[in-house]
Each structure stands twice: as structure tokens, then as C-alpha cells.
Amino acid sequence: MHQIDPARLRQLIQEELPELIEIRRDLHQNPGLSYQETYASARVREELAKASVPFLGGLAKGPKSDVGTGVVAWLPGAAAAAVGLRADMDALPIREETGCAHASVVPGVMHACGHDGHTAILIGAAKVLARMAQGSTLPQPVRFIFQPAEEGGAGAARMIADGCLDVMPSSPRVGHMFGLHGWPSAPLGEILTCVGPITAATACFEVTVTGRGGHAAFPHFNQDPIVAASAIVGAVQSIVARNVDPIASGVISVTQFLAGDGAHNVIPSTATLRGTIRALDTGVMEVLKRRFTEVVSLSAGAYGCTTEATYEIEGLAEYPVTINSPEAVGALKAVLPKLHTSLQPVMGGEDFAFYSARVPSAFFVIGLRPPGRDSMPGLHHPQFDFNDDALGIGVEAFCRVALGMAGD
Ligand SMILES: [Zn+2]
Ligand SMILES: [Zn+2]
């Protein structure tokens, strides 16, 4: 255990808070979609430089971007492996409806998932830990990972490919990873996690159903792809019910049904279905995807139509299950005694999964719901805004885990 008293840690956080709130709101006002987080990336590097924390930028270049927005920073420490802390920086293609003073100035783009809060929290942790490192050695080296493209672009996978977990010139490899997410349904002050799967494996699909179009008055001369696609929507619902162990879990949701744009009396020749498949177990995920392709093809065949199904969709990577290791959750519990470990896994996806597949990791959530309120707008809602009162809580959690410092 590190010999720094909790009061000193809280004091340092309090001193940083006003600026962190300003940073969080600045990031909120200037959001960037996946791999376009140039504003956030620049602000991260500016703040790290001000705090004299060494860093490397330009990581995790996106498929269409000129320069990577990912940033990795580090502080030295006594142990042989570093503790990794991660923040995601990207925003969503949503038109903001918060009406707040720091609302997005980028039309149609907003921080509706609170990644502005995550980024500010990790900046705060770097600043506080850098101050603690002055004149003393941190118990563990710390790696700060600011990644792009959590929302579908698998920025974490590109950060890992660019070496964010590996030995760096003045920092050892990352031994454990920790990441957090603001949680609107939990009250402010609560921190929750669980051992094992915490977020789902996800895959997006697109199915093109091809038949033969023609006049709606003569269906017997056509092969109607709308009727075939309708049968598919119904049939795939049986996969979770009939092909998956009832004790396990999975979900298949069709979210888009696109067909026909001609006259009202024309049967089109194709229909397109899009949606998502999710599971909390890799084996179940494989069953769902395999059966989905089979059921889609056989269902359409009954109506004389053919199908093409793909899980490879531009900008929407498949994510594995995020699995919290008992060891990493134990380390978290040791420094956060009030941590609840009874969080139910969610069917949402998180690209933190890529880190958890490489090193023992723990992903946890921090409550955002203000005291005295029953609810607040949820993640990805146009009225969602990260609760600034949670910034200090997140910074303290990250600092404690980096310091291996027990709570009080
Ligand atoms: Zn999100
Ligand atoms: Zn998110």
C-alpha cells in the first residue's frame, strides 16, 4: 500500500476539479465522431504537456483519417508492470437537445455517451498522479490510454495494434487494464461492476433479399422479397428461443427494413434488413451467427427468393465480450471498499473488450443520476449530458487503483 493519505488525494482532486469541469464542457462543446476526435486529442495533449506527463500522439489512425487521434501517456513507478487506465474520446451522430450552455457547436454530432466525461476524468487522473509522483515514486507505473472510436469503430483494437499495452521506451508493459463508464441509471456516488462477462459480444448484420419485382396486381408472376423478408424477421426470433440454452442469453434485433421506393403498386425486386446480434458468451455468439445465416437463407428460399448476409459492415466492427477478471475486480474492490460487484451484465457492446482479451481487466460504471431525481436521460439520448459531479468520483477511483491505495 502506498503511503499517501486519502485526505491528500482528495485535496489534490479538489484543486483540479474546476479546470476539469471546464475541460469536460469544452470537450462536450466540440465533439468529434469516431476517428475524427481531433479537438479532443489536441486538448488531451495540451493538458498532458501542461502537467509534464510524457505522451505519444498520432495513434490508432482510422481507415479514412490522415492522422491518428489516439494518445498514450505514462508515469514511472516501482512495479515491473504498468497499470493501464483507459478513456474513449468519440461522440455520436446525434443532434443535441440539451439546450445547455456548453451544447455541441458541431451540427448533428454530440457527446451522448459521456465520453467527454471519461476523457476529462483520465486527464484529471494524469494530473493528480503526476503531482503525487513529484518527489516520490509511484508504487506502479501508470499508462494512460486515450482512444478514438469506441462507438463501433474498434479504436481499442487499433490502439493495441499500435502498441499501447506493450513495453515503451520509458514504460514497462501494461499488466492490468481498468476502464469506466458513466451510468445514468445508477445514483451519483455508486460504483458498480461484476466478475465475468460485463458487456456483450456484438455483430451488426445486413441481409439483402432478392426476388423478382413486378406489378402488385400479378403477384403470381413475381417473387416478392417483402413477403420473404417479413418471414425472415419472424423466423430469426426463434433462434434465441430454440437454439440457445435457456440459461444463456442472446438477442437478435432487426432494426431496419428497407424495401420499395417506386409506385404503390410495384413489388420491388429486393429488400434489405439490418440489425444486431449480441451474446454474453463467445460460443453462443457463434451459434447465433451461424443459425442466423442458415435461417435467413432457408426462410427466403421458401418464397423463391435468395439472400446475401454479411457481418462485415463499414465502420461497425464486431466486438468480443468484455470479461472482467476476478483478479482485476479484486484489485478494484481492495481500493474501493464500497464497490458493488452485483451489476447485471448488459447487452450493450464496449470495445474495452479488446483490452480485456489481452490482459486481466476490470470495467466498471459510476453513477451519474443526481440526488433527488428518479431518472435522467439515458446514454445515446439527445438530452443526455455527463454529470460534472461524477468527475471527481471517477478521478479518485482511477487514482486509487493506480496507487493501490485502500479506501476509507
Ligand atoms: Zn455509447
Ligand atoms: Zn460509451
Side-chain angles (χ1 to χ4, degrees), residues 252-311:
I252 297 176
S253 291
V254 178
T255 58
Q256 294 181 25
F257 190 132
L258 312 162
D261 57 1
H264 70 282
N265 60 359
V266 173
I267 293 169
S269 56
T270 63
T272 302
L273 299 173
R274 296 194 186 117
T276 179
I277 299 180
R278 288 148 189 257
L280 290 169
D281 175 271
T282 306
V284 171
M285 192 65 182
E286 280 166 13
V287 169
L288 293 182
K289 285 172 63 186
R290 178 173 52 76
R291 283 295 292 151
F292 182 81
T293 309
E294 289 169 1
V295 170
V296 158
S297 165
L298 292 167
S299 303
Y303 297 85
C305 294
T306 59
T307 55
E308 243 177 79
T310 181
Y311 300 110

Coordinates of all heavy atoms in Angstrom, one line a residue, residues 252-311:
I252 N -31.3 -11.1 -30.9 CA -31.2 -10.7 -32.3 C -32.3 -9.7 -32.6 O -33.5 -9.9 -32.3 CB -31.5 -11.9 -33.2 CG1 -30.4 -13.0 -33.0 CG2 -31.5 -11.5 -34.7 CD1 -30.6 -14.3 -33.8
S253 N -31.9 -8.5 -33.0 CA -32.9 -7.4 -33.3 C -32.7 -6.9 -34.7 O -31.7 -6.5 -35.1 CB -32.7 -6.2 -32.3 OG -33.1 -6.6 -31.0
V254 N -33.9 -7.0 -35.4 CA -33.9 -6.3 -36.7 C -34.3 -4.9 -36.5 O -35.3 -4.6 -35.9 CB -34.9 -7.0 -37.7 CG1 -34.9 -6.3 -39.0 CG2 -34.5 -8.5 -37.9
T255 N -33.4 -4.0 -37.0 CA -33.7 -2.6 -36.7 C -34.0 -1.7 -37.9 O -34.5 -0.6 -37.8 CB -32.5 -1.9 -36.0 OG1 -31.4 -2.1 -36.8 CG2 -32.2 -2.6 -34.6
Q256 N -33.8 -2.3 -39.1 CA -34.1 -1.6 -40.3 C -34.7 -2.6 -41.3 O -34.1 -3.7 -41.5 CB -32.9 -0.9 -40.9 CG -32.3 0.2 -40.1 CD -31.1 0.9 -40.7 OE1 -30.9 0.8 -41.9 NE2 -30.3 1.5 -39.9
F257 N -35.8 -2.2 -42.0 CA -36.4 -3.0 -43.0 C -36.7 -2.0 -44.2 O -37.5 -1.1 -44.1 CB -37.8 -3.5 -42.5 CG -38.4 -4.5 -43.3 CD1 -38.9 -5.7 -42.8 CD2 -38.6 -4.4 -44.7 CE1 -39.6 -6.7 -43.5 CE2 -39.3 -5.3 -45.5 CZ -39.7 -6.5 -44.9
L258 N -35.8 -2.2 -45.2 CA -35.9 -1.2 -46.3 C -36.3 -2.0 -47.6 O -35.7 -2.9 -48.0 CB -34.5 -0.6 -46.5 CG -33.8 -0.1 -45.3 CD1 -32.3 0.1 -45.6 CD2 -34.4 1.2 -44.9
A259 N -37.4 -1.5 -48.2 CA -37.9 -2.1 -49.4 C -38.8 -1.2 -50.1 O -39.7 -0.6 -49.5 CB -38.6 -3.4 -49.1
G260 N -38.7 -1.1 -51.4 CA -39.6 -0.4 -52.3 C -39.5 1.1 -52.2 O -39.5 1.7 -51.1
D261 N -39.4 1.7 -53.4 CA -39.4 3.2 -53.4 C -40.1 3.7 -54.7 O -40.0 4.8 -55.0 CB -38.0 3.8 -53.2 CG -37.1 3.3 -54.3 OD1 -37.5 2.5 -55.2 OD2 -35.9 3.7 -54.3
G262 N -40.8 2.8 -55.3 CA -41.4 3.2 -56.6 C -42.9 3.5 -56.3 O -43.3 3.9 -55.2
A263 N -43.7 3.2 -57.3 CA -45.2 3.4 -57.2 C -45.7 2.4 -56.1 O -45.2 1.4 -55.9 CB -45.8 3.2 -58.5
H264 N -46.9 2.8 -55.6 CA -47.5 1.9 -54.6 C -48.0 0.6 -55.1 O -48.3 -0.3 -54.3 CB -48.7 2.7 -53.9 CG -49.9 2.9 -54.8 ND1 -49.9 3.8 -55.8 CD2 -51.0 2.1 -54.9 CE1 -51.1 3.7 -56.4 NE2 -51.7 2.7 -55.9
N265 N -48.0 0.5 -56.4 CA -48.5 -0.8 -56.9 C -47.4 -1.6 -57.6 O -47.6 -2.4 -58.5 CB -49.6 -0.6 -57.9 CG -49.2 0.3 -59.1 OD1 -48.1 0.8 -59.1 ND2 -50.1 0.6 -60.0
V266 N -46.1 -1.3 -57.1 CA -45.0 -2.1 -57.7 C -44.3 -2.9 -56.6 O -44.0 -2.4 -55.5 CB -43.9 -1.1 -58.3 CG1 -42.7 -1.9 -58.7 CG2 -44.5 -0.4 -59.5
I267 N -44.2 -4.2 -56.8 CA -43.4 -5.1 -55.9 C -41.9 -4.9 -56.3 O -41.6 -5.0 -57.4 CB -43.8 -6.5 -56.1 CG1 -45.3 -6.7 -55.6 CG2 -42.9 -7.5 -55.3 CD1 -45.8 -8.1 -56.0
P268 N -41.1 -4.5 -55.3 CA -39.7 -4.3 -55.6 C -39.0 -5.6 -55.8 O -39.5 -6.7 -55.5 CB -39.1 -3.6 -54.4 CG -40.0 -4.1 -53.3 CD -41.4 -4.3 -53.9
S269 N -37.8 -5.5 -56.3 CA -37.0 -6.8 -56.6 C -36.1 -7.2 -55.4 O -35.6 -8.3 -55.3 CB -36.3 -6.7 -57.9 OG -35.4 -5.6 -57.9
T270 N -35.8 -6.2 -54.5 CA -35.0 -6.5 -53.4 C -35.6 -5.9 -52.1 O -36.3 -4.9 -52.2 CB -33.5 -6.0 -53.5 OG1 -33.6 -4.6 -53.6 CG2 -32.9 -6.5 -54.8
A271 N -35.2 -6.4 -51.0 CA -35.5 -5.8 -49.7 C -34.2 -6.0 -48.8 O -33.4 -7.0 -49.0 CB -36.6 -6.6 -49.0
T272 N -34.0 -5.1 -47.9 CA -32.7 -5.1 -47.1 C -33.1 -5.1 -45.6 O -34.0 -4.3 -45.2 CB -31.8 -3.9 -47.4 OG1 -31.5 -3.9 -48.8 CG2 -30.6 -3.9 -46.6
L273 N -32.5 -5.9 -44.9 CA -32.7 -6.0 -43.4 C -31.4 -5.7 -42.7 O -30.4 -6.2 -43.2 CB -33.2 -7.3 -42.9 CG -34.5 -7.9 -43.5 CD1 -34.7 -9.3 -43.1 CD2 -35.7 -7.0 -43.0
R274 N -31.4 -4.8 -41.7 CA -30.2 -4.6 -40.9 C -30.6 -4.7 -39.5 O -31.7 -4.6 -39.0 CB -29.7 -3.1 -41.2 CG -29.3 -2.9 -42.6 CD -28.4 -1.6 -42.7 NE -28.2 -1.4 -44.1 CZ -28.6 -0.3 -44.8 NH1 -29.3 0.6 -44.2 NH2 -28.3 -0.1 -46.0
G275 N -29.6 -5.0 -38.7 CA -29.8 -5.1 -37.2 C -28.6 -5.6 -36.5 O -27.4 -5.5 -37.0
T276 N -28.8 -6.2 -35.3 CA -27.6 -6.5 -34.5 C -27.9 -7.9 -33.8 O -29.0 -8.2 -33.5 CB -27.3 -5.4 -33.5 OG1 -26.2 -5.8 -32.6 CG2 -28.5 -5.1 -32.6
I277 N -26.8 -8.6 -33.6 CA -26.8 -9.9 -32.8 C -25.8 -9.7 -31.6 O -24.7 -9.2 -31.8 CB -26.3 -11.0 -33.8 CG1 -27.2 -11.1 -35.0 CG2 -26.2 -12.3 -33.0 CD1 -26.8 -12.3 -35.9
R278 N -26.3 -10.1 -30.5 CA -25.5 -10.0 -29.3 C -25.6 -11.2 -28.4 O -26.6 -11.9 -28.3 CB -26.0 -8.8 -28.5 CG -25.6 -7.5 -29.2 CD -26.6 -6.3 -29.0 NE -26.2 -5.2 -29.8 CZ -25.6 -4.1 -29.4 NH1 -25.4 -3.9 -28.2 NH2 -25.3 -3.2 -30.3
A279 N -24.5 -11.4 -27.6 CA -24.5 -12.5 -26.7 C -23.4 -12.2 -25.6 O -22.5 -11.5 -25.9 CB -24.2 -13.9 -27.3
L280 N -23.5 -12.9 -24.5 CA -22.5 -12.7 -23.4 C -21.5 -13.8 -23.4 O -20.7 -13.9 -22.4 CB -23.2 -12.6 -22.1 CG -24.1 -11.3 -21.9 CD1 -24.9 -11.5 -20.6 CD2 -23.1 -10.1 -21.7
D281 N -21.5 -14.7 -24.4 CA -20.6 -15.8 -24.4 C -20.2 -16.0 -25.9 O -21.0 -16.0 -26.8 CB -21.3 -17.0 -23.9 CG -20.5 -18.3 -24.0 OD1 -20.6 -19.0 -25.0 OD2 -19.8 -18.6 -23.0
T282 N -18.9 -16.3 -26.1 CA -18.4 -16.4 -27.4 C -19.0 -17.6 -28.2 O -19.3 -17.5 -29.4 CB -16.8 -16.6 -27.4 OG1 -16.3 -15.5 -26.6 CG2 -16.2 -16.6 -28.7
G283 N -19.2 -18.7 -27.5 CA -19.8 -19.9 -28.1 C -21.2 -19.6 -28.5 O -21.6 -20.0 -29.6
V284 N -22.0 -18.9 -27.7 CA -23.4 -18.6 -28.0 C -23.4 -17.7 -29.2 O -24.2 -17.8 -30.1 CB -24.1 -17.9 -26.8 CG1 -25.5 -17.4 -27.2 CG2 -24.2 -18.9 -25.6
M285 N -22.5 -16.7 -29.2 CA -22.4 -15.8 -30.4 C -22.2 -16.5 -31.7 O -22.8 -16.2 -32.7 CB -21.2 -14.8 -30.1 CG -21.2 -13.6 -31.0 SD -22.7 -12.6 -30.8 CE -22.3 -11.3 -32.0
E286 N -21.3 -17.5 -31.6 CA -21.0 -18.3 -32.9 C -22.3 -19.0 -33.3 O -22.6 -19.1 -34.5 CB -19.9 -19.3 -32.6 CG -18.5 -18.6 -32.7 CD -17.4 -19.5 -32.1 OE1 -17.6 -20.7 -31.9 OE2 -16.3 -18.9 -31.9
V287 N -23.0 -19.6 -32.4 CA -24.3 -20.3 -32.7 C -25.3 -19.3 -33.3 O -25.9 -19.6 -34.4 CB -24.9 -21.0 -31.5 CG1 -26.3 -21.5 -31.7 CG2 -24.0 -22.1 -31.0
L288 N -25.4 -18.2 -32.7 CA -26.4 -17.2 -33.2 C -26.1 -16.8 -34.6 O -26.9 -16.7 -35.5 CB -26.4 -15.9 -32.3 CG -26.9 -16.1 -30.9 CD1 -26.9 -14.7 -30.1 CD2 -28.3 -16.6 -30.9
K289 N -24.8 -16.5 -34.9 CA -24.4 -16.0 -36.2 C -24.6 -17.1 -37.3 O -25.1 -16.9 -38.4 CB -22.9 -15.5 -36.2 CG -22.8 -14.2 -35.5 CD -21.3 -13.8 -35.4 CE -20.6 -13.6 -36.7 NZ -19.2 -13.3 -36.4
R290 N -24.2 -18.3 -36.9 CA -24.3 -19.4 -37.9 C -25.8 -19.7 -38.2 O -26.2 -19.8 -39.3 CB -23.6 -20.7 -37.3 CG -23.7 -21.9 -38.2 CD -22.9 -23.1 -37.7 NE -23.2 -23.4 -36.3 CZ -24.3 -24.1 -35.8 NH1 -25.2 -24.5 -36.7 NH2 -24.4 -24.4 -34.5
R291 N -26.6 -19.8 -37.1 CA -28.0 -20.1 -37.3 C -28.7 -18.9 -38.0 O -29.6 -19.2 -38.8 CB -28.7 -20.4 -36.0 CG -28.4 -21.7 -35.4 CD -29.0 -22.8 -36.3 NE -30.5 -22.9 -36.3 CZ -31.2 -23.3 -37.3 NH1 -30.7 -23.7 -38.4 NH2 -32.5 -23.2 -37.3
F292 N -28.3 -17.7 -37.8 CA -28.9 -16.6 -38.4 C -28.7 -16.7 -39.9 O -29.7 -16.6 -40.7 CB -28.3 -15.3 -37.9 CG -28.9 -14.0 -38.5 CD1 -30.0 -13.5 -38.0 CD2 -28.2 -13.4 -39.6 CE1 -30.6 -12.3 -38.6 CE2 -28.8 -12.2 -40.2 CZ -30.0 -11.7 -39.7
T293 N -27.5 -17.0 -40.4 CA -27.3 -17.1 -41.8 C -28.1 -18.2 -42.4 O -28.7 -18.1 -43.5 CB -25.8 -17.4 -42.0 OG1 -25.0 -16.4 -41.3 CG2 -25.4 -17.3 -43.5
E294 N -28.2 -19.4 -41.7 CA -29.0 -20.5 -42.2 C -30.5 -20.2 -42.3 O -31.1 -20.4 -43.3 CB -28.8 -21.7 -41.3 CG -27.4 -22.4 -41.3 CD -27.2 -23.4 -40.2 OE1 -28.1 -23.6 -39.4 OE2 -26.0 -23.9 -40.2
V295 N -31.0 -19.6 -41.2 CA -32.4 -19.4 -41.1 C -32.8 -18.3 -42.2 O -33.9 -18.4 -42.8 CB -32.8 -18.9 -39.7 CG1 -34.3 -18.4 -39.7 CG2 -32.7 -20.1 -38.7
V296 N -32.0 -17.3 -42.3 CA -32.3 -16.3 -43.3 C -32.4 -16.9 -44.7 O -33.3 -16.7 -45.5 CB -31.1 -15.2 -43.3 CG1 -31.0 -14.4 -44.6 CG2 -31.3 -14.3 -42.1
S297 N -31.4 -17.7 -45.1 CA -31.4 -18.3 -46.4 C -32.5 -19.3 -46.6 O -33.2 -19.2 -47.7 CB -30.0 -19.0 -46.6 OG -30.0 -19.9 -47.7
L298 N -32.8 -20.1 -45.6 CA -33.9 -21.1 -45.8 C -35.2 -20.5 -45.8 O -36.1 -20.9 -46.6 CB -33.8 -22.2 -44.7 CG -32.5 -23.1 -44.8 CD1 -32.3 -23.9 -43.5 CD2 -32.7 -24.0 -46.0
S299 N -35.4 -19.4 -45.0 CA -36.7 -18.7 -45.0 C -37.0 -18.1 -46.3 O -38.1 -18.2 -46.8 CB -36.7 -17.6 -43.9 OG -36.4 -18.2 -42.6
A300 N -36.0 -17.4 -46.9 CA -36.2 -16.7 -48.1 C -36.5 -17.7 -49.2 O -37.3 -17.5 -50.2 CB -35.0 -15.9 -48.5
G301 N -35.8 -18.9 -49.1 CA -35.9 -19.9 -50.2 C -37.3 -20.4 -50.3 O -37.8 -20.8 -51.4
A302 N -38.0 -20.5 -49.2 CA -39.4 -20.9 -49.2 C -40.3 -20.0 -50.0 O -41.4 -20.4 -50.4 CB -40.0 -21.0 -47.8
Y303 N -39.8 -18.8 -50.3 CA -40.6 -17.8 -51.1 C -40.0 -17.5 -52.4 O -40.3 -16.6 -53.1 CB -40.8 -16.5 -50.3 CG -41.5 -16.7 -49.0 CD1 -40.9 -17.1 -47.8 CD2 -42.9 -16.5 -49.0 CE1 -41.5 -17.3 -46.7 CE2 -43.6 -16.7 -47.8 CZ -42.9 -17.1 -46.6 OH -43.6 -17.3 -45.5
G304 N -39.0 -18.4 -52.8 CA -38.4 -18.3 -54.1 C -37.4 -17.1 -54.2 O -37.1 -16.7 -55.3
C305 N -37.0 -16.7 -53.1 CA -36.0 -15.6 -53.0 C -34.6 -16.1 -52.6 O -34.5 -17.1 -51.9 CB -36.5 -14.4 -52.1 SG -38.0 -13.6 -52.7
T306 N -33.6 -15.3 -52.9 CA -32.2 -15.6 -52.5 C -31.8 -14.5 -51.5 O -32.3 -13.4 -51.5 CB -31.3 -15.7 -53.7 OG1 -31.3 -14.5 -54.3 CG2 -31.6 -16.8 -54.6
T307 N -30.7 -14.9 -50.7 CA -30.3 -13.9 -49.8 C -28.7 -13.8 -49.8 O -28.1 -14.7 -50.2 CB -30.6 -14.3 -48.3 OG1 -30.2 -15.6 -48.1 CG2 -32.1 -14.2 -48.1
E308 N -28.3 -12.6 -49.4 CA -26.9 -12.4 -49.1 C -26.8 -11.8 -47.7 O -27.4 -10.7 -47.5 CB -26.2 -11.5 -50.2 CG -25.2 -12.2 -51.0 CD -24.7 -11.2 -52.1 OE1 -23.8 -10.4 -51.7 OE2 -25.2 -11.3 -53.2
A309 N -26.1 -12.4 -46.8 CA -26.0 -11.9 -45.4 C -24.5 -11.6 -45.1 O -23.7 -12.4 -45.5 CB -26.6 -12.9 -44.4
T310 N -24.3 -10.5 -44.5 CA -22.9 -10.2 -44.2 C -22.8 -9.5 -42.8 O -23.8 -8.9 -42.3 CB -22.2 -9.2 -45.2 OG1 -20.9 -9.0 -44.8 CG2 -23.0 -7.9 -45.3
Y311 N -21.7 -9.8 -42.1 CA -21.5 -9.2 -40.8 C -20.4 -8.1 -40.9 O -20.0 -7.5 -39.9 CB -21.1 -10.2 -39.7 CG -22.1 -11.3 -39.5 CD1 -21.9 -12.6 -39.9 CD2 -23.3 -11.0 -38.9 CE1 -22.9 -13.6 -39.7 CE2 -24.3 -11.9 -38.7 CZ -24.1 -13.2 -39.1 OH -25.0 -14.2 -38.9

